[in-house]
Amino acid sequence: VGDALGDGEIEKRHARNDGIEHGVALVAQRLVQVEGVTMDDLANDIQEILLSESQIQQRVCELGGRISADYAGQNPLLLCVLKGGYVFLADLTRCLTIKHDVDFMAISSYGDGTESSGVVHILKDLDRDISGRHVLVVEDIIDTGRTLAYLLQNLRVRQPASLKVCTLLNKPSRREIHLDVDYTGFEIPDRFVIGYGLDFAGHYRNLRFVGVLKPEVYT
Ligand code: PRP
């Protein structure tokens, strides 16, 4: 493309790209301000915001309303899959209007990279028996489906009264194993996303939005 353009046009394009990047960084900075402190080192790593804080909050409360209606009188157990699910769980439960319990499992499949290793480890199991309970698994993201397929198989053996899945994000284009997902916040394209519980190398989980990192951050 560069060969076909004059120097002036190339400069204009660079300026325009710089402007877009600057704009994203400014928006990201505003969205990661906590009590007046701007987390520049996080904001500067963001290339694009896919889902804003308000989009997420609205959708999470819609899901909370549906779950409250569907599980009325059933005292479901919300099973949060750590670590990524903790932010979603915290907001989701505060949108529930029914009695419920929460418990946590820690499962790791990714290590510090951006691709699934395919190896699933249970790092922390549930505190209590779930036989006869209505269990709703709360995930931040379903990608290949390997983690959840393993988890559901493991949980079914424990004979819950019902077993359903709620995920904030779903990447259907990446699926390797078919899964029935009962509640989905957003279907997203095949991008490596961070924020709202999702990490890269342990960081960015605290961002209030879901975004995409600049490639130079992870290459
Ligand atoms: C992420 C996410 C899911 C899993 C989805 O967890 O929380 O559990 O990957 O990927 P899959 O559908 O391809 O199996 P991760 O292993 O990154 O751990 P974390 O939640 O502790 O960050």
Side-chain angles (χ1 to χ4, degrees), residues 34-198:
V34 177
E35 296 185 358
V37 178
T38 304
M39 294 184 279
D40 288 329
D41 56 338
L42 297 181
N44 289 336
D45 292 347
I46 308 302
Q47 181 180 62
E48 186 183 337
I49 294 164
L50 272 192
L51 300 167
S52 69
E53 179 180 2
S54 61
Q55 274 178 294
I56 295 171
Q57 292 304 323
Q58 185 185 341
R59 185 68 182 136
V60 170
C61 276
E62 283 171 11
L63 291 175
R66 276 182 51 203
I67 291 166
S68 298
D70 293 351
Y71 285 92
Q74 296 186 346
N75 188 27
L77 175 72
L78 272 68
L79 191 174
C80 173
V81 184
L82 295 171
K83 296 174 186 171
Y86 79 99
V87 179
F88 180 36
L89 179 85
D91 284 345
L92 183 65
T93 56
R94 285 178 292 177
C95 291
L96 294 183
T97 55
I98 54 168
K99 286 186 178 166
H100 62 277
D101 294 312
V102 296
D103 205 344
F104 300 87
M105 278 180 91
I107 290 184
S108 177
S109 61
Y110 273 36
D112 277 355
T114 61
E115 291 290 325
S116 174
S117 66
V119 181
V120 177
H121 302 287
I122 291 186
L123 305 174
K124 180 212 171 296
D125 208 337
L126 295 170
D127 290 343
R128 298 201 191 100
D129 182 17
I130 56 165
S131 68
R133 293 295 306 265
H134 292 283
V135 175
L136 179 62
V137 176
V138 177
E139 264 283 21
D140 53 343
I141 188 165
I142 305 173
D143 192 320
T144 64
R146 287 181 193 168
T147 307
L148 197 54
Y150 171 85
L151 182 64
L152 292 174
Q153 192 181 27
N154 182 292
L155 293 171
R156 274 190 208 104
V157 174
R158 309 182 197 199
Q159 299 188 310
S162 67
L163 184 59
K164 290 188 177 180
V165 173
C166 176
T167 186
L168 179 76
L169 305 177
N170 191 11
K171 274 189 195 171
S173 62
R174 291 264 305 165
R175 196 72 88 252
E176 291 176 10
I177 299 176
H178 173 76
L179 292 168
D180 291 321
V181 183
D182 302 281
Y183 304 93
T184 300
F186 302 92
E187 291 201 347
I188 59 166
D190 183 14
R191 314 278 302 273
F192 184 76
V193 288
I194 47 82
Y196 202 75
L198 293 127

